[in-house]
Amino acid sequence: MVYFWSNTIWYILLGISTISTVIYSISKAKRRKFTFAFYMTLVGLVLFFETMILIVFKSYNYYPMIIHTSPFDDVLAGNLFSQFSVAATALLVAVLNLKNYWILILSGIYGLIEELFLALGIYSHNWYRTWMTLVGLTIYFWWAKKNYIKGLMRGIKPLRLYFYIFIGLFPLDIITLLWGFILSGYQNYTRNLIPDSVRSPYVAALLYYTFVAVIIISIYFLRLKWRWKSGAILAIYGINFIAYKLHILYFYNMFWYVVFSTISIFSIYLSIVLLDYFYKDK
């Protein structure tokens, strides 16, 4: 509790603001299922980008002091609060079709929040600077508005839909599932993929997600017969086992190999079904 009022409370307030913004935006939307799916894509898009510059390029650090046992997981937790928040604001801009000057105002507000977090010592820059947030969010909010309206009016073409679903799987699966397994201590990834042994498992997790997601999206939209789908799924089990023996994937024991493989495969498959249905629902 020593850090709750100095660090954690600010991220909780950001989380409450995020939830309120998402609920309000979806309540104002004409197609609520489509809007929820688009929010998942917005979250995935910003998380995919921000996680790469955070993990690989060490751009900045968060200090929410939520996960005390692992400083780097604590940084990732802070990143989640931040990126779910900016995605919620992007959704608000899109649903309300806000004027461009509002995009500039909202980007500026996030710049002020970033400077506040820096002043409070609950966030820090390495090479990253606040002006990058202003530029990046201006482009991101404009993109969200343009593509949300286009999707509502014209529908989403197949290739764009596949991309939206692939990115939307990021918050639905890699955050809740793959990161959850790492935090459980029963499954992990190699520490030798990149020179930084702390960040290596998270880069490997991202690559694993990409590998499985692309395969399952392919077998879902190609409408393969069940014998081919079953063969592809069994191949993922086999690759997981080989990766386990090569010490690329780590499991507490063989039971957890089966649990992880089964949950990761079928969770991603069900998430694809859900997002596809929500995007196509009228």
Side-chain angles (χ1 to χ4, degrees):
M1 290 295 292
V2 66
Y3 293 107
F4 180 83
W5 294 109
S6 61
N7 293 60
T8 311
I9 185 63
W10 296 99
Y11 289 89
I12 291 177
L13 291 174
L14 192 62
I16 292 171
S17 172
T18 298
I19 293 170
S20 301
T21 302
V22 172
I23 292 174
Y24 177 78
S25 298
I26 292 178
S27 71
K28 291 294 183 179
K30 294 180 179 179
R31 291 174 58 189
R32 294 179 178 177
K33 292 176 182 177
F34 177 95
T35 302
F36 174 81
F38 192 73
Y39 178 60
M40 290 296 100
T41 295
L42 288 175
V43 174
L45 189 65
V46 71
L47 273 177
F48 200 91
F49 174 77
E50 293 288 340
T51 300
M52 287 301 294
I53 67 170
L54 171 63
I55 294 177
V56 179
F57 298 107
K58 306 177 184 179
S59 54
Y60 41 65
N61 294 292
Y62 295 93
Y63 310 104
M65 304 308 290
I66 296 172
I67 304 176
H68 298 283
T69 55
S70 174
F72 190 67
D73 284 309
D74 194 56
V75 170
L76 294 179
N79 188 48
L80 291 184
F81 279 93
S82 176
Q83 307 321 324
F84 271 87
S85 175
V86 298
T89 303
L91 185 70
L92 181 69
V93 169
V95 171
L96 299 185
N97 193 18
L98 296 180
K99 301 290 186 180
N100 288 336
Y101 65 82
W102 274 110
I103 290 177
L104 295 175
I105 290 172
L106 291 169
S107 299
I109 290 173
Y110 273 101
L112 292 174
I113 292 172
E114 187 164 326
E115 287 297 314
L116 172 64
F117 277 31
L118 287 169
L120 291 170
I122 60 176
Y123 170 71
S124 66
H125 287 158
N126 292 326
W127 55 264
Y128 192 83
R129 295 295 179 264
T130 302
W131 68 263
M132 298 177 184
T133 295
L134 299 177
V135 173
L137 290 186
T138 299
I139 297 171
Y140 176 60
F141 292 160
W142 175 83
W143 182 92
K145 172 184 171 181
K146 177 183 178 181
N147 285 277
Y148 178 79
I149 294 171
K150 183 188 292 185
L152 286 177
M153 294 178 63
R154 305 177 188 174
I156 304 174
K157 294 182 179 179
L159 286 178
R160 186 178 292 266
L161 177 64
Y162 306 154
F163 172 75
Y164 280 8
I165 289 177
F166 170 76
I167 294 297
L169 292 174
F170 199 102
L172 288 175
D173 288 285
I174 196 169
I175 299 302
T176 58
L177 182 67
L178 301 188
W179 190 37
F181 270 106
I182 291 175
L183 292 176
S184 74
Y186 289 100
Q187 188 273 327
N188 214 318
Y189 302 81
T190 177
R191 293 186 175 272
N192 301 315
L193 185 64
I194 61 174
D196 190 324
S197 62
V198 173
R199 288 171 166 79
S200 178
Y202 303 94
V203 176
L206 182 62
L207 293 174
Y208 178 81
Y209 149 78
T210 301
F211 163 71
V212 176
V214 167
I215 290 178
I216 298 182
I217 287 173
S218 298
I219 66 175
Y220 175 77
F221 283 105
L222 287 174
R223 307 298 181 188
L224 299 177
K225 294 182 179 180
W226 275 106
R227 65 174 179 271
W228 293 109
K229 287 185 178 181
S230 300
I233 289 171
L234 288 173
I236 297 174
Y237 276 96
I239 292 169
N240 283 356
F241 183 77
I242 293 171
Y244 173 41
K245 291 300 181 181
L246 294 176
H247 306 295
I248 298 171
L249 291 179
Y250 294 93
F251 302 101
Y252 184 72
N253 53 33
M254 282 297 294
F255 171 77
W256 281 100
Y257 149 74
V258 175
V259 169
F260 169 81
S261 299
T262 302
I263 293 178
S264 63
I265 291 168
F266 289 97
S267 172
I268 290 176
Y269 189 91
L270 291 175
S271 295
I272 293 168
V273 173
L274 177 71
L275 289 173
D276 183 45
Y277 168 70
F278 277 11
Y279 267 122
K280 294 177 179 177
D281 182 73
K282 299 297 184 180

